[in-house]
């Protein structure tokens, strides 16, 4: 007969062995690793007026090529005229690359975002291109240029479709610091009719994705409006930026 203390010892060894095996199965290489959505945005530094330019984004998530991004859209504008930007849908080549073609019809320096949404994340690397002699930069400086941000910080309001009277509209804002989604910020929208600046509405925005903040509002009066986006965090950051839009009947 096997002594009782040997039986107890045998079962203790078995239990510890099972625990050790279970722990090894849970700690796979790379387990718990935070993956990031990265976009390699390829754009020539210069082009000629009338030349067709290819915009190319290569999208990865960790070591994985993202072949099914929710959205890759290129937004471009002549420097100083961000309010007059143009959005270009991309072609998905199903190998992690997304492209679009654009032709610039006048000299100037153009800014371009590669808006990319995938894996519930959004990123928007920005590059610039000089077209022709680059001297035709507009003198109509937009309100964006009067909002100076901390280095590397970006506030971007997604393009609004037609804003109609008495219909709820979602204001979607993306925040980035050094091309990384800026999370856990306190974001508020201050909105007013430009003909009645003393009457202002405040809307609290919620973070719906990493670095993406959404707030909704319904307008009861048509006209020209301004939205000032206020951003704060726990590290004494306080940024704001104005955008203008129209509410139609």
């Amino acid at each position: 007969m096997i002594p009782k203390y040997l039986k107890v010892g045998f079962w203790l060894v078995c239990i510890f062995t099972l625990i050790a095996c279970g722990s090894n199965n849970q700690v796979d290489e790379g387990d718990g690793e935070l993956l990031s959505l990265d976009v390699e945005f390829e754009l020539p530094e210069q082009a000629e007026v009338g030349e067709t330019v290819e915009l190319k984004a290569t999208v990865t998530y960790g070591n994985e090529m993202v072949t099914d991004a929710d959205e890759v859209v290129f937004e471009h504008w002549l420097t100083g005229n961000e309010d007059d930007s143009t959005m270009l849908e991309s072609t998905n080549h199903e190998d992690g690359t997304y492209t679009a073609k654009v032709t610039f019809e006048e000299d100037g320096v153009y800014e371009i975002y590669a808006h990319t949404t995938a894996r519930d994340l959004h990123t928007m690397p920005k590059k610039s291109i000089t077209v022709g002699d680059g001297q035709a930069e507009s003198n109509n400086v937009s309100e964006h240029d009067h909002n100076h941000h901390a280095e590397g910080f970006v506030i971007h309001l997604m393009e609004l479709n037609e804003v109609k009277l008495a219909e709820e509209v979602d204001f979607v804002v993306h925040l980035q610091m050094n091309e990384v989604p800026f999370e856990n910020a306190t974001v508020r929208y201050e909105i007013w009719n430009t003909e009645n600046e003393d009457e202002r509405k405040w809307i609290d925005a919620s973070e719906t994705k990493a670095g993406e903040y959404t707030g909704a509002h319904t307008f009861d009066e048509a006209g020209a409006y301004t939205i000032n986006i206020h951003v704060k965090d726990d590290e004494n950051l306080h940024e704001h930026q104005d955008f203008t839009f129209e509410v139609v009947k």
Side-chain angles (χ1 to χ4, degrees), residues 100-116:
K101 292 183 179 180
V102 60
T103 302
F104 300 102
E105 300 299 339
E106 61 179 297
D107 292 339
V109 177
Y110 292 81
E111 307 288 335
I112 306 177
Y113 278 123
H115 291 284
T116 305

Side-chain angles (χ1 to χ4, degrees), residues 13-221:
V13 170
C14 290
I15 291 171
F16 283 121
T17 299
L18 288 171
I19 292 174
C21 291
S23 299
N24 288 335
N25 288 336
Q26 292 175 358
V27 187
D28 294 329
E29 184 177 349
D31 185 56
E33 180 185 359
L34 294 176
L35 302 179
S36 63
L37 180 67
D38 296 308
V39 177
E40 181 184 351
F41 183 15
E42 298 178 44
L43 175 70
E45 294 182 357
Q46 292 187 313
E48 296 300 324
V49 172
E51 177 184 353
T52 299
V53 176
E54 182 181 71
L55 313 176
K56 181 179 179 181
T58 301
V59 185
T60 56
Y61 181 67
N63 295 322
E64 171 196 359
M65 301 297 290
V66 177
T67 61
D68 57 351
D70 298 317
E71 179 183 63
V72 178
V73 176
F74 298 99
E75 178 184 12
H76 68 81
W77 66 94
L78 183 64
T79 299
N81 288 275
E82 190 170 353
D83 286 331
D84 189 23
S85 65
T86 299
M87 308 293 282
L88 295 174
E89 296 285 345
S90 68
T91 297
N92 181 357
H93 299 281
E94 300 184 352
D95 59 357
T97 64
Y98 301 78
T99 62
K101 292 183 179 180
V102 60
T103 302
F104 300 102
E105 300 299 339
E106 61 179 297
D107 292 339
V109 177
Y110 292 81
E111 307 288 335
I112 306 177
Y113 278 123
H115 291 284
T116 305
T117 304
R119 306 297 186 266
D120 291 325
L121 296 170
H122 181 87
T123 188
M124 48 186 194
K126 183 172 79 169
K127 286 192 172 184
S128 62
I129 182 172
T130 300
V131 176
D133 60 19
Q135 298 301 312
E137 181 175 321
S138 172
N139 292 321
N140 298 319
V141 179
S142 71
E143 289 176 289
H144 299 71
D145 298 300
H146 299 294
N147 296 277
H148 301 291
H149 301 311
E151 185 176 357
F153 188 77
V154 175
I155 298 174
H156 183 269
L157 175 66
M158 291 296 289
E159 183 181 29
L160 295 170
N161 294 322
E162 188 175 55
V163 180
K164 292 186 177 180
L165 194 67
E167 292 185 5
E168 186 176 76
V169 57
D170 288 325
F171 293 96
V172 180
V173 168
H174 292 113
L175 304 180
Q176 285 192 169
M177 179 67 83
N178 298 322
E179 298 190 3
V180 175
F182 192 79
E183 302 180 67
N184 303 317
T186 298
V187 179
R188 301 190 74 198
Y189 302 155
E190 180 184 10
I191 301 175
W192 66 91
N193 188 313
T194 55
E195 294 183 358
N196 185 13
E197 296 192 7
D198 292 333
E199 185 176 334
R200 304 193 175 204
K201 303 289 186 181
W202 288 87
I203 301 166
D204 292 323
S206 300
E207 187 170 13
T208 50
K209 297 178 183 178
E212 179 179 282
Y213 299 80
T214 302
H217 186 62
T218 302
F219 295 88
D220 56 13
E221 186 177 1

